[in-house]
């Protein structure tokens, strides 16, 4: 059996049939194939076919009802964000009152740090990973400056060992045990954007909290990628975007988690806005806020309906399929792609252990940008480059197939 036939056989026999037909797959660049083999879902997910109809419904309500759609629309706008609460909670392993859809990722991280980064005495450090996504680096540095601290001293970037690309969990735990008295906040990426490494979130959370620190997670590359149990892991807070694995469109409204021990604590300081007060008194226009005992207390403004509609449509897909089933297929797809890349002359910097990676393989190559262009133009394979020397391929289980992985492997072997 040829490798291509084997890939097609795997697609036909997989326990989770592909949902590719529910997404709009772009045409292949260069005309080599009808559709692209799309491996850039860790940057921007594909559009679900259901999104356009959902948006048209909201536009129709706006046209027919105008302001009255806030209370009379088919999905009344005044409480629209509440429609996302339970599916978002199931997605990240939370209780409904612990999650809220709002803002963008970095805005939410700043709101969380405004509440939970409270340096005092010698406990001032923020621990992130190296490499962290640049926005996280900028955010924590600016928070340190906001508190009158020097980021060069306050921000600790945990680095892999010499000659390695991924952080070892034991090294993170050892740092927290050794230096924990000086750590105010641990805020790592659940899945590293560059390498695809899945961090041991339960172990690191436990160690950070035992050291007396607050533990938050940037789940930009983890939400919709790997199963999460934020409540059970005792995470203090987390934030994620929804335009990568969650397929909600460019710049889509993000999500936020705050553990219930904090949402029930009225003494937790927070930056407040209109939508952070109890709905029952919101329209009294009182000057004094009455925050609810939920993550909604961190909301600032009324929800952007046209931006939330695609998130709701996407969450409905995840609710129907389930993260455990998606994780199983993710491991099968990523493992198959890894096995097919063995002959390629490229260094894989993603962990080889399926339990230690998400739906991503990162390769170290020369001229990453040029290679990505050639993959698209000559083979219709869409990946992305992280200059100077890394390309990333994300076999997203909702719409990527074994045949897509076959195409990517054949193209890389040919070009490398």
């Amino acid at each position: 059996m040829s490798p291509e036939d084997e890939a097609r056989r795997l697609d036909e026999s997989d326990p989770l049939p592909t949902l590719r037909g529910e997404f709009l797959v772009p045409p292949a660049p260069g005309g080599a194939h009808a559709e692209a083999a799309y491996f850039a879902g860790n940057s921007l997910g594909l559009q679900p076919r259901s999104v356009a109809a959902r948006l048209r419904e909201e536009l129709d309500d706006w046209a027919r009802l105008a302001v009255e759609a806030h209370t009379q629309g088919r999905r009344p706008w005044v409480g629209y964000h509440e429609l996302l609460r339970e599916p978002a909670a199931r997605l990240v392993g939370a209780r409904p009152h612990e999650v809220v859809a709002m803002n963008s990722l970095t805005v939410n991280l700043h709101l969380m740090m405004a509440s939970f980064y409270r340096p005092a005495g010698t406990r001032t450090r923020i621990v992130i990973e190296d490499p962290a996504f640049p926005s996280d680096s900028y955010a924590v540095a600016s928070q340190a400056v906001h508190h009158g601290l020097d980021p060069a001293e306050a921000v600790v970037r945990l680095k892999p060992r010499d000659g390695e690309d991924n952080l070892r969990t034991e090294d993170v735990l050892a740092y927290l045990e050794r230096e924990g008295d000086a750590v105010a906040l641990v805020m790592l990426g659940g899945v590293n954007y560059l390498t695809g490494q899945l961090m041991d979130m339960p172990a690191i959370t436990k160690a950070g909290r035992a050291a007396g620190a607050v533990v938050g997670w940037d789940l930009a590359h983890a939400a919709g990628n790997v199963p999460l149990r934020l409540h059970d892991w005792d995470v203090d807070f987390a934030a994620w975007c929804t335009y990568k694995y969650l397929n909600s469109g460019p710049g889509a409204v993000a999500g936020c988690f705050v553990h219930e021990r904090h949402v029930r604590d009225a003494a937790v300081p927070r930056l407040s806005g209109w939508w952070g007060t109890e709905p029952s008194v919101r329209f009294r226009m009182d000057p004094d806020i009455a925050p609810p005992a939920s993550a909604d207390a961190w909301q600032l403004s009324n929800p952007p309906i046209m931006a939330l509609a695609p998130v709701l449509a996407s969450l409905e897909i995840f609710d129907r399929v389930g993260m455990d089933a998606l994780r199983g297929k993710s491991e099968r797809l990523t493992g198959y792609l890894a096995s097919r890349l063995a002959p390629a002359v490229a260094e894989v910097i993603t962990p080889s252990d399926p339990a230690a990676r998400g739906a991503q393989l990162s390769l170290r190559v020369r001229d990453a940008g040029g290679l990505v262009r050639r993959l698209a133009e000559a083979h219709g394979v869409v990946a992305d480059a992280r200059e100077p020397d890394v390309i990333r391929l994300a076999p997203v289980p909702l719409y990527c197939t074994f045949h897509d992985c076959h195409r990517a492997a054949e193209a890389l072997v040919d070009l490398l």
Side-chain angles (χ1 to χ4, degrees), residues 39-43 191-192 195-198 221-222 224-226 245 323 326-327 329-335 337 350 354 356-362 392-398 400:
F39 291 92
N42 56 350
S43 186
V191 173
N192 184 264
T195 68
Q197 180 188 12
L198 169 59
H221 288 264
N225 182 5
V226 296
Y245 292 95
M323 274 308 306
L326 288 170
R327 175 60 171 164
K329 183 153 192 177
S330 167
E331 291 181 344
R332 293 189 293 276
L333 285 169
T334 307
L337 179 59
T350 305
R357 66 189 181 201
Q360 179 174 322
L361 289 180
S362 295
R392 307 183 306 165
L393 299 105
V396 175
L398 280 171
C400 287

Side-chain angles (χ1 to χ4, degrees), residues 5-352:
D5 289 342
E6 173 66 9
R8 294 194 185 279
R9 184 193 68 79
L10 290 170
D11 281 323
E12 293 170 359
S13 62
D14 194 81
L16 179 61
T18 182
L19 278 76
R20 187 185 186 93
E22 297 189 27
F23 292 84
L24 295 169
V25 183
H33 298 268
E35 289 184 339
Y38 190 80
F39 291 92
N42 56 350
S43 186
L44 179 66
L46 295 182
Q47 181 186 144
R49 291 182 181 273
S50 59
V51 163
R54 187 60 56 85
L55 282 171
R56 280 195 295 271
E57 290 174 354
E58 303 307 335
L59 290 169
D60 181 60
D61 278 359
W62 184 16
R64 292 186 305 107
L65 299 168
V67 70
E68 300 302 332
H70 281 88
T71 56
Q72 299 176 23
R74 68 195 82 191
R75 299 176 194 86
W77 295 344
V78 71
Y80 196 100
H81 72 281
E82 295 174 4
L83 299 174
L84 287 77
R85 190 189 314 283
E86 292 198 6
R90 287 188 285 270
L91 182 79
V92 299
R95 296 180 177 176
H97 61 281
E98 295 176 317
V99 298
V100 61
M102 62 182 190
N103 307 315
S104 60
L105 170 59
T106 306
V107 171
N108 287 342
L109 290 175
H110 274 299
L111 289 173
M112 293 297 99
M113 286 188 281
S115 291
F116 299 113
Y117 176 54
R118 300 197 288 271
T122 59
R123 191 181 286 276
T124 60
R125 297 179 192 171
I126 307 173
V127 175
I128 62 173
E129 76 275 24
D130 191 29
F133 192 74
S135 194
D136 288 16
S137 296
Y138 307 155
V140 296
S142 65
Q143 286 284 333
V145 170
H146 182 70
H147 286 277
L149 301 170
D150 181 356
E153 297 179 358
V155 178
V156 176
R157 305 179 70 91
L158 299 182
K159 300 177 183 293
R161 297 183 186 185
D162 290 344
E164 298 182 0
D165 294 292
N166 298 284
L167 272 175
R168 296 192 186 191
T169 299
E170 60 263 34
D171 291 348
V172 179
L173 303 186
Y175 177 84
L176 292 173
E177 183 176 0
R178 185 177 67 250
E179 303 287 343
D181 288 348
V183 177
L185 172 64
V186 179
M187 198 182 81
L188 305 174
V191 173
N192 184 264
Y193 87 99
L194 184 66
T195 68
Q197 180 188 12
L198 169 59
M199 303 301 294
D200 189 339
M201 287 183 265
I204 294 171
T205 300
K206 182 178 180 180
R209 288 186 43 74
V214 172
V215 180
W217 290 94
D218 176 345
L219 302 177
H221 288 264
N225 182 5
V226 296
L228 300 165
R229 304 285 184 267
L230 299 182
H231 177 86
D232 293 344
W233 294 342
D234 217 24
V235 170
D236 287 294
F237 71 83
W240 57 93
C241 57
T242 63
Y243 52 82
K244 302 180 190 297
Y245 292 95
L246 293 178
N247 312 305
S248 298
V253 176
C256 200
F257 163 89
V258 184
H259 198 279
E260 68 178 6
R261 66 176 171 276
H262 299 307
V263 302
R264 292 174 173 172
D265 182 359
V268 173
R270 63 177 68 89
L271 300 178
S272 297
W274 185 28
W275 234 250
T277 198
E278 276 283 358
S280 61
V281 300
R282 183 176 294 146
F283 290 93
R284 293 180 185 173
M285 305 300 180
D286 292 337
D288 297 322
I289 193 166
S294 73
D296 284 13
W298 277 264
Q299 289 188 114
L300 300 179
S301 304
N302 51 312
I305 304 305
M306 304 307 166
L308 281 178
V311 184
L312 180 58
S314 174
L315 288 175
E316 289 170 352
I317 297 174
F318 280 87
D319 240 6
R320 172 161 46 90
V321 181
M323 274 308 306
D324 290 338
L326 288 170
R327 175 60 171 164
K329 183 153 192 177
S330 167
E331 291 181 344
R332 293 189 293 276
L333 285 169
T334 307
Y336 172 75
L337 179 59
S339 70
R340 290 293 310 278
L341 290 181
V345 186
E347 177 189 1
V348 178
I349 64 172
T350 305
S352 59

